[in-house]
Amino acid sequence: MIQITLPDGSVKSLEANSTPMDVAKSISEGFARNVISAKFNGQTVETVTPLTTDGSIVLYTWNDDEGKTAFWHSSAHVLAQAVQELYPNAKLTIGPAIDRGFYYDVDFGDAVLSDKDFTTIEKKMLEIARGKHDFKMRSASKAEALELYKDNAFKTELIENLEDGTITFCDHSTFTDLCRGGHIPNTGIIKAPKILSVAGAYWRGDETKPQLTRIYGIAFPKQKELTEYLALLEEAKKRDHRKLGKELELFTFSQKVGAGLPLWLPKGAALRERLENFLKAAQKKAGYEMVMTPHIGQKELYVTSGHYAKYGEDSFQSIKTPKDDEEFLLKPMNCPHHCEIYNAMQWSYKDLPKRFAEFGTVYRYEQSGELHGLTRVRGFTQDDAHIFCTPDQLDQEFKNVIDLVLYVFGSLGFENFTAQVSLRDPEAPEKYIGSLENWDKAEQAIISAAKDKGLNYVIETGEAAFYGPKLDFMVKDALGRKWQLGTIQVDYNLPERFELTYKGSDNELHRPIMIHRAPFGSMERFIAILLEHTGGNFPLWLMPNQVSILTLSEKYEKYGEKVLNLLEKHEIRALVDNRSETIGKKIREAEMKKTPYMIIIGENEEKENKISVRQHGGEDLGTISVEEFSKIVDIEINKTLKQF
């Protein structure tokens, strides 16, 4: 008998070689019908994998993220089989599950795939799925694997990098694929497959290698769920930040300036400035001091910090100067510069903590195929700050930053989020810098602070930064999509690399601890996510233009200017639309620009010295005085803009 421990701590005694599905059936037949994936002792296994030792098991259904991963990974296999049957000369490469669905990269040779072919592929996938074919894992020798793929250079390259004895295949129906595992029981669970798009993708992300066709797809266990998802996609198209950014005249791009380098238009620049001022005010209350650093630094600075090893080869090339052996780099991060600011003086423990903040622009050379509007750019501004503190101060300083992040989220309408404690991968120590002792201390500090603040948090191994663990905030937007917004990191390593010190109460030199934090993350990405979350209907306090004053004719322009002046005295941002257009057209255009309030001005309003107010979306607030309207605006702003 083997002892199998369930997540609730209860233990099941089963015969050796029982499977995860047997465990599920021992709980209940109804539950077992919904189980599609499992983990045993932390390793992903098939539901039919024989269990030979005691251990802990977690069983997953479609409602779990891990269940969806197995479902979509299995769907990628079905897509690959459909492609192989429809295009016998196509060469398959890799096809993983992703956050929403899956993709498969294929070399179609001379054939060209377009959206006209999607329906044919979907029908073939559905035909395969209805066969209810079991997914079966098997081991193979390296020689067998190379023989199977002797006509596929892509698979051959993958196999050549694997060790003999570690190679496995997954079979279903008449199809087999090189695979590490993690599948649903059979294809019949896949009821509603959909091909979403195709794109170009270089083999292994290398621009020097062949370009493949990447087929993106998604699948569901019920047709109803696919229908709902497609409706969500349509809504997402309407909220696409690139579309809204153009309509609201916030930002643009220019090929002459360069791909991935956004240009902020006046309204967008004003929006950014308002966000910056909002955070600067909170930071001032929290004891931060603003600093400024250059956009470049000597190469040696980033070699010392470790950023050159991380970003150097894949980033912008170094800048040569007339002086021999002098190289500068566009800065990839602000932290090394802030370390040198700290190093400019000798500090005492009485001076700490020191909190240096900067809206600093950094540069990374993202591959052209990975650029995407404001969410993936080559130049971006971080709301960066670095806190240098003593070990005794670490816990409270970290908690203070959590409070700041929650204040930002609350004021901008991000209410649905979880915290992710991102730890190092103990199996890949080469990815990180610093001692194990310091990593252990940093990780424990983050977990302790998250617990004490009552955060709903999960632990993700392998997601730490190369210099330290993180507390990342994973936000769900209005469409249910997850985004990583806001990060706090504990770092023992950069203080060592830059030999940062402070004089302790014992009159000896000690090493400070460094906290990295960025509640927005980057201004560009944050604004993109905020645009899509709100659909362009920003909180009133943030709107570039809060009121449009619409005159019925040129006769009322003078009164319109008077109303504008009164609103400005109440610190309400407004503009006058006195064009010789119909009032209907003016209202439609103001609605399209997401203007929160429209003030209509005509003969009656001028006579009564009042304004007629219409809210975005069509609600009529009636005819009131400017003073009454300013109170309405104040109440709405106070409802959303939290106090820090």
Side-chain angles (χ1 to χ4, degrees):
M1 300 293 285
I2 54 175
Q3 307 302 309
I4 306 299
T5 304
L6 301 177
D8 64 1
S10 61
V11 177
K12 294 279 185 181
S13 295
L14 289 95
E15 297 287 339
N17 293 314
S18 294
T19 67
M21 188 57 73
D22 292 329
V23 178
K25 287 177 180 176
S26 75
I27 297 171
S28 83
E29 288 291 337
F31 175 62
R33 282 193 290 273
N34 291 311
V35 169
I36 58 175
S37 180
K39 267 188 183 175
F40 185 67
N41 289 338
Q43 296 294 314
T44 298
V45 295
E46 310 297 304
T47 57
V48 293
T49 299
L51 307 178
T52 58
T53 64
D54 295 349
S56 300
I57 198 166
V58 185
L59 301 167
Y60 300 115
T61 70
W62 165 254
N63 295 322
D64 301 305
D65 288 344
E66 293 85 351
K68 288 182 174 66
T69 296
F71 189 95
W72 286 330
H73 173 62
S74 306
S75 301
H77 280 284
V78 175
L79 167 61
Q81 181 183 357
V83 167
Q84 193 172 73
E85 291 184 11
L86 293 168
Y87 302 89
N89 295 324
K91 289 182 170 55
L92 303 172
T93 66
I94 56 172
I98 53 179
D99 283 347
R100 290 283 177 119
F102 53 90
Y103 69 77
Y104 214 107
D105 286 347
V106 182
D107 180 2
F108 280 95
D110 295 331
V112 177
L113 194 71
S114 73
D115 53 7
K116 295 176 183 175
D117 304 305
F118 291 0
T119 302
T120 303
I121 297 173
E122 289 162 6
K123 285 180 179 176
K124 178 58 72 174
M125 288 181 70
L126 202 52
E127 176 189 317
I128 294 165
R130 285 170 177 162
K132 297 183 179 179
H133 308 289
D134 292 339
F135 288 98
K136 298 175 182 177
M137 295 296 296
R138 63 181 171 89
S139 298
S141 69
K142 195 165 188 174
E144 289 173 318
L146 289 170
E147 176 62 24
L148 180 64
Y149 287 116
K150 62 185 177 184
D151 296 324
N152 186 326
F154 306 103
K155 295 285 193 185
T156 297
E157 182 181 326
L158 294 174
I159 294 164
E160 284 174 343
N161 291 320
L162 299 175
E163 295 292 328
D164 208 344
T166 65
I167 298 169
T168 52
F169 285 91
C170 178
D171 302 324
H172 77 270
S173 180
T174 59
F175 180 75
T176 189
D177 204 357
L178 182 70
C179 184
R180 291 177 180 170
H183 305 89
I184 58 178
N186 65 74
T187 62
I189 302 168
I190 302 167
K191 305 287 188 186
K194 183 73 177 176
I195 305 302
L196 299 173
S197 63
V198 292
Y202 292 105
W203 169 235
R204 309 198 91 167
D206 188 338
E207 290 183 347
T208 66
K209 293 185 176 179
Q211 189 172 53
L212 308 169
T213 299
R214 177 166 292 179
I215 308 172
Y216 286 98
I218 199 163
F220 293 89
K222 294 179 182 177
Q223 180 62 42
K224 179 188 174 193
E225 290 178 272
L226 173 60
T227 302
E228 291 171 350
Y229 179 75
L230 294 177
L232 201 65
L233 281 187
E234 286 303 309
E235 181 60 28
K237 287 179 186 176
K238 296 177 191 173
R239 291 172 177 250
D240 189 310
H241 75 275
R242 294 166 297 178
K243 174 177 174 287
L244 290 173
K246 184 176 182 180
E247 291 173 358
L248 301 178
E249 301 171 0
L250 298 179
F251 59 87
T252 188
F253 289 89
S254 163
Q255 286 305 312
K256 288 183 180 178
V257 173
L261 299 171
L263 301 171
W264 291 90
L265 304 176
K267 290 178 182 176
L271 177 75
R272 276 184 61 134
E273 183 181 27
R274 202 159 288 115
L275 279 170
E276 285 189 19
N277 291 340
F278 157 72
L279 188 54
K280 281 178 181 176
Q283 287 178 164
K284 187 174 181 181
K285 288 182 181 178
Y288 288 81
E289 299 171 281
M290 295 302 297
V291 297
M292 293 182 70
T293 61
H295 291 250
I296 63 173
Q298 288 204 85
K299 176 183 173 182
E300 189 57 35
L301 176 71
Y302 308 115
V303 171
T304 300
S305 70
H307 288 95
Y308 183 76
K310 178 76 174 176
Y311 300 112
E313 291 184 6
D314 298 322
S315 199
F316 290 97
Q317 295 302 298
S318 60
I319 303 165
K320 303 285 186 180
T321 73
K323 185 179 176 182
D324 290 341
D325 301 323
E326 186 174 55
E327 289 183 67
F328 287 81
L329 296 175
L330 290 169
K331 68 175 174 181
M333 291 290 273
N334 299 299
C335 1
H337 296 251
H338 289 194
C339 286
E340 287 302 289
I341 288 177
Y342 179 91
N343 249 346
M345 294 178 65
Q346 177 60 63
W347 304 100
S348 158
Y349 72 98
K350 294 178 181 178
D351 300 315
L352 301 187
K354 297 302 294 181
R355 308 178 186 96
F356 297 141
E358 175 183 17
F359 286 86
T361 302
V362 298
Y363 302 89
R364 314 261 178 85
Y365 188 78
E366 301 286 357
Q367 298 294 327
S368 57
E370 295 176 341
L371 297 175
H372 183 81
L374 294 180
T375 59
R376 201 71 180 265
V377 290
R378 289 174 173 164
F380 54 95
T381 302
Q382 294 180 308
D383 58 319
D384 228 343
H386 298 94
I387 302 167
F388 302 89
C389 64
T390 68
D392 290 343
Q393 295 166 338
L394 175 61
D395 183 63
Q396 190 57 53
E397 287 299 311
F398 197 93
K399 290 173 181 174
N400 290 346
V401 179
I402 291 175
D403 290 338
L404 181 63
V405 172
L406 299 183
Y407 163 68
V408 169
F409 287 179
S411 295
L412 289 159
F414 290 111
E415 296 172 355
N416 190 353
F417 64 87
T418 56
Q420 175 179 300
V421 178
S422 300
L423 307 180
R424 70 194 185 282
D425 182 355
E427 302 298 320
E430 70 282 357
K431 290 169 58 178
Y432 311 99
I433 61 175
S435 70
L436 291 178
E437 180 187 0
N438 283 344
W439 272 92
D440 288 339
K441 286 191 288 189
E443 290 178 345
Q444 278 308 121
I446 291 177
I447 292 170
S448 174
K451 282 181 180 175
D452 289 350
K453 295 301 290 184
L455 294 180
N456 174 25
Y457 73 92
V458 296
I459 291 177
E460 289 292 342
T461 302
E463 294 298 316
F466 74 94
Y467 49 79
K470 305 184 292 178
L471 183 66
D472 293 324
F473 290 84
M474 315 303 291
V475 173
K476 268 193 179 181
D477 69 10
L479 299 182
R481 299 170 300 182
K482 280 186 183 177
W483 303 90
Q484 189 264 309
L485 279 183
T487 185
I488 319 172
Q489 303 160 7
V490 175
D491 182 4
Y492 283 80
N493 294 309
L494 287 189
E496 284 190 358
R497 286 184 165 233
F498 282 94
E499 299 181 347
L500 307 184
T501 62
Y502 66 90
K503 190 169 285 188
S505 58
D506 56 2
N507 221 29
E508 297 292 326
L509 292 180
H510 299 269
R511 195 78 73 204
I513 302 167
M514 191 173 175
I515 299 175
H516 306 243
R517 51 109 283 206
F520 292 147
S522 86
M523 297 297 290
E524 287 73 13
R525 188 168 175 274
F526 188 85
I527 289 172
I529 295 167
L530 186 61
L531 260 172
E532 298 197 4
H533 176 58
T534 62
N537 296 304
F538 297 118
L540 184 59
W541 67 267
L542 186 59
M543 286 296 293
N545 179 49
Q546 296 168 318
V547 180
S548 285
I549 301 168
L550 314 179
T551 57
L552 287 173
S553 75
E554 60 184 17
K555 291 190 295 184
Y556 309 110
E557 286 180 22
K558 191 173 179 181
Y559 183 59
E561 292 295 335
K562 177 184 175 183
V563 171
L564 177 63
N565 291 333
L566 289 170
L567 292 175
E568 288 176 345
K569 286 179 181 176
H570 287 283
E571 297 185 348
I572 295 171
R573 296 183 292 278
L575 57 82
V576 178
D577 184 352
N578 53 21
R579 296 172 301 156
S580 57
E581 300 286 356
T582 65
I583 193 66
K585 183 174 182 180
K586 290 180 181 181
I587 289 173
R588 283 194 299 275
E589 290 184 1
E591 286 281 350
M592 285 181 63
K593 292 183 186 296
K594 316 290 185 182
T595 308
Y597 290 102
M598 284 147 271
I599 288 176
I600 317 296
I601 287 179
E603 183 179 0
N604 291 337
E605 288 76 19
E606 185 178 36
K607 277 183 181 178
E608 297 176 15
N609 201 30
K610 291 191 175 182
I611 53 175
S612 292
V613 182
R614 174 191 171 98
Q615 202 163 12
H616 175 63
E619 185 180 352
D620 189 349
L621 302 186
T623 302
I624 55 178
S625 68
V626 171
E627 285 70 25
E628 288 174 295
F629 175 65
S630 72
K631 289 176 184 176
I632 292 172
V633 171
D634 285 343
I635 290 169
E636 185 173 344
I637 288 174
N638 290 332
K639 265 196 300 186
T640 55
L641 187 56
K642 310 298 181 186
Q643 294 299 311
F644 183 71

